[in-house]
Amino acid sequence: MELFLTAFIGDLASRSVNFIINKCSKPPALAVEGNLQRALLRAQVIIVEAMGRNITNQAMLLQLNMLSNAMHQSQYVLDAFRYQQHNKEDTKDQAVSCSSSLSKVNNAKHICFSSKGAHVSKELQEALDNLRSMILDANELVMFLTRCPRLYRQPYSMHLQLTNCMFGRQMEAQMLINFLLGPEPHGAEELEVLPIVGPKYIGKSTLVAHACKDERVCGHFSKILFFSIHDFTDDELSTFREGCATNLENCMSNSNKDRRLLVVVEIDADLSEEALNRLYCASKQYVPSGSKIILTSQFGNIIRFGTTQSLTLKHLSHEAYWYFFKTLAFEGTDPEMHPRLMQLAMEIAMTQRRSLNGANIIGRLLRDNFDVQFWSKVLAFWRGSTRRICRFGEHPCDPLDQNKHAYLGRMAAQTEDVVVLHRQQRSSEEDVPKIRMEDVVYGSIKLHGKVDALLWKSRIPPYYSYIYTCEIRKVKTTGFKRKRPM
């Protein structure tokens, strides 16, 4: 009996010691939160400093992109943790009714938080370890950054001024500039071709315009030509030939020895093999040697004409999109001071399916109406609109990319529908409507019939204005007599 008691007490003591050691060795969630916040600041310092440098090393650009992705993911984990903490406080106090549980956010964002504090701490710790590892790997990168020359003019490279920069495209922009300024590896007689592929309205034209506005690119080429091709018919071939010939003559008359042209061809249709071959032959025939060509299209069949690795633009990740959306919605306001608004913003961002236009429009709308009640109305409105996803398997705005009508409601007039007939983009020289899309969907102004509304006006090249042609329709209600249940 004494041996049994001795063994039992010894086992109990060892278990207690192990429990205390494990408890003390694992930092609490709040301590990990503070460490993660400091690591995020360090990562942001490295990224902002790198964005102001002229980096030509492709490996350094890839490492910066990995660090940026880790920063966005860690920021989302931190915000989701604070979102959950605020949900718990609302449940205890019962002062503010929570609009949804955290599990809905986790399903959409692929981050699984548990109600147990230990599991939450584990998620935070994993994000912290991952970010710290990326920062540690970037030590050599920071040393090499000091040897990269500073950019004298970089007006669109500040993370906090997201309306004036290409968010999430810094690596692609620098790779494009490196291609344009780099030497001709195949000899001066060959044409260098770079294909840029990506979905519609992903920012291909914006990326090219941003690179072409760079002073180094402008000084490297005698002329930059832009062509838009649909079917590459005889008329389009004639326009392409005359444009190249005219600008080449101007370069020769100005005694420009380089005679290098940069030709940007935007292909807005799925060209056949015959049309693509005609375009390729015309480029070799009418574009002078030493010039460079950029092909942009949403179809991947142009990749085979590239002489270098193509650029593929993809949608932002969930974490990067949340970083973008939150910064636009809160602008200079600290989101930590408004946990309830951050909770609503996170759920509203989920309904936008990583749409950049949606982030710009709704971010500006929320910023101009900084009120919990209004943000709750916007969330309720989009929840009703996105029920169409469960019924038809598509986002309310997805039909626009397929040249179909999109049906939206009006937040202030539930008896009316906004039918978006088609979308168009206009240059900076063209007039734009005075009515904005947020006035049509979220405002209380009275509208009837068809109306053109300004969706969004870009502040970076090529300064396009995106216009929606809408029609206001009355909601048809069908009356019926409800049968009694059997």
Side-chain angles (χ1 to χ4, degrees):
M1 189 66 180
E2 293 179 358
L3 293 176
F4 174 77
L5 289 175
T6 303
F8 175 77
I9 294 174
D11 182 68
L12 181 62
S14 62
R15 287 175 179 268
S16 301
V17 171
N18 291 333
F19 175 78
I20 294 174
I21 292 175
N22 293 332
K23 196 73 174 178
C24 296
S25 61
K26 293 182 180 179
L30 294 179
V32 178
E33 177 187 0
N35 294 334
L36 183 56
Q37 182 67 52
R38 288 189 290 272
L40 283 169
L41 289 176
R42 290 187 61 189
Q44 191 173 12
V45 167
I46 297 174
I47 293 172
V48 171
E49 178 64 23
M51 289 167 60
R53 302 276 181 169
N54 181 23
I55 303 174
T56 58
N57 190 310
Q58 302 292 338
M60 291 177 65
L61 292 175
L62 290 174
Q63 190 173 7
L64 278 172
N65 190 50
M66 294 172 61
L67 178 61
S68 179
N69 292 337
M71 184 189 72
H72 294 150
Q73 187 173 6
S74 300
Q75 184 65 62
Y76 176 77
V77 172
L78 182 61
D79 290 340
F81 167 72
R82 291 168 175 169
Y83 171 96
Q84 186 196 44
Q85 293 297 108
H86 183 68
N87 261 359
K88 288 181 179 180
E89 294 176 2
D90 285 348
T91 303
K92 290 180 181 180
D93 300 338
Q94 296 182 356
V96 181
S97 60
C98 294
S99 56
S100 67
S101 63
L102 184 62
S103 60
K104 296 180 181 179
V105 180
N106 297 336
N107 291 335
K109 301 298 182 179
H110 311 289
I111 293 181
C112 299
F113 282 101
S114 172
S115 59
K116 297 181 181 180
H119 189 67
V120 174
S121 179
K122 180 182 177 182
E123 296 288 342
L124 288 173
Q125 187 65 49
E126 289 179 355
L128 176 61
D129 294 340
N130 181 39
L131 188 58
R132 278 178 172 174
S133 176
M134 294 298 302
I135 294 175
L136 186 62
D137 292 341
N139 285 337
E140 292 82 5
L141 173 67
V142 173
M143 182 181 64
F144 288 130
L145 280 178
T146 58
R147 301 181 181 180
C148 296
R150 287 189 175 274
L151 297 175
Y152 293 102
R153 186 171 179 266
Q154 195 62 262
Y156 309 125
S157 62
M158 295 301 293
H159 249 321
L160 298 180
Q161 298 175 350
L162 296 186
T163 54
N164 291 335
C165 77
M166 288 186 306
F167 178 77
R169 304 293 184 208
Q170 288 80 15
M171 184 188 71
E172 290 85 353
Q174 191 59 54
M175 292 176 67
L176 176 55
I177 293 176
N178 292 343
F179 163 77
L180 297 176
L181 300 181
E184 292 78 12
H186 302 287
E189 300 298 326
E190 294 291 334
L191 291 176
E192 295 296 316
V193 181
L194 173 64
I196 301 179
V197 183
K200 204 171 184 180
Y201 304 114
I202 197 67
K204 299 182 292 294
S205 300
T206 304
L207 176 66
V208 174
H210 177 81
C212 292
K213 194 175 177 63
D214 192 281
E215 293 179 352
R216 297 165 296 168
V217 174
C218 294
H220 188 73
F221 295 96
S222 303
K223 196 73 175 179
I224 301 178
L225 309 180
F226 293 90
F227 296 97
S228 181
I229 292 177
H230 184 72
D231 296 322
F232 204 63
T233 57
D234 293 338
D235 293 337
E236 292 179 337
L237 175 60
S238 177
T239 303
F240 182 80
R241 180 180 63 248
E242 292 176 2
C244 294
T246 302
N247 286 278
L248 184 59
E249 290 178 2
N250 294 335
C251 295
M252 295 178 65
S253 63
N254 294 333
S255 299
N256 192 319
K257 297 180 180 181
D258 292 333
R259 297 190 307 150
R260 284 192 297 255
L261 298 181
L262 173 56
V263 181
V264 181
V265 181
E266 182 177 347
I267 304 173
D268 59 358
D270 189 5
L271 294 183
S272 62
E273 290 294 323
E274 180 183 358
L276 286 173
N277 290 328
R278 291 179 64 192
L279 174 61
Y280 181 71
C281 294
S283 301
K284 295 187 66 175
Q285 183 177 358
Y286 302 118
V287 179
S289 59
S291 301
K292 295 192 177 183
I293 299 177
I294 299 175
L295 300 178
T296 65
S297 175
Q298 59 178 316
F299 303 100
N301 54 359
I302 66 170
I303 294 179
R304 68 184 184 91
F305 294 103
T307 59
T308 184
Q309 184 179 1
S310 62
L311 282 180
T312 302
L313 302 187
K314 299 179 180 179
H315 290 286
L316 296 177
S317 65
H318 292 287
E319 295 81 9
Y321 184 78
W322 163 240
Y323 186 94
F324 180 74
F325 187 93
K326 181 183 70 170
T327 307
L328 290 180
F330 287 91
E331 202 176 34
T333 307
D334 186 4
E336 296 182 23
M337 301 299 295
H338 306 276
R340 173 58 176 162
L341 291 179
M342 188 175 74
Q343 173 189 353
L344 293 172
M346 187 171 255
E347 297 193 44
I348 294 173
M350 287 168 48
T351 65
Q352 298 307 302
R353 294 276 291 274
R354 295 179 290 176
S355 168
L356 296 180
N357 283 336
N360 281 283
I361 294 299
I362 299 183
R364 180 177 62 197
L365 180 72
L366 299 179
R367 188 170 63 244
D368 294 341
N369 300 272
F370 208 74
D371 178 70
V372 172
Q373 186 177 3
F374 183 82
W375 288 29
S376 300
K377 288 182 179 179
V378 174
L379 175 60
F381 169 78
W382 273 101
R383 276 184 177 167
S385 299
T386 50
R387 290 195 185 101
R388 202 178 293 268
I389 298 176
C390 302
R391 298 166 66 182
F392 303 108
E394 62 182 9
H395 194 266
C397 295
D398 285 347
L400 285 174
D401 296 334
Q402 306 170 7
N403 295 323
K404 298 180 181 178
H405 295 176
Y407 291 83
L408 300 173
R410 295 197 69 189
M411 193 173 73
Q414 299 181 0
T415 59
E416 295 178 348
D417 270 345
V418 178
V419 183
V420 183
L421 303 178
H422 61 86
R423 171 165 49 182
Q424 59 177 311
Q425 61 185 28
R426 299 180 184 177
S427 63
S428 57
E429 290 80 13
E430 297 180 89
D431 294 332
V432 297
K434 295 183 179 180
I435 300 178
R436 300 185 302 178
M437 194 63 190
E438 53 260 44
D439 298 329
V440 176
V441 178
Y442 307 100
S444 58
I445 59 176
K446 295 183 179 180
L447 298 170
H448 303 283
K450 291 185 179 181
V451 60
D452 288 338
L454 174 63
L455 177 67
W456 177 54
K457 189 173 183 179
S458 176
R459 298 184 184 180
I460 63 177
Y463 304 107
Y464 284 146
S465 296
Y466 300 92
I467 313 298
Y468 274 179
T469 300
C470 309
E471 184 177 358
I472 313 300
R473 298 178 183 177
K474 291 289 184 180
V475 177
K476 295 182 180 180
T477 57
T478 56
F480 62 92
K481 185 176 181 180
R482 182 178 298 176
K483 295 182 179 181
R484 291 185 179 181
M486 296 295 294

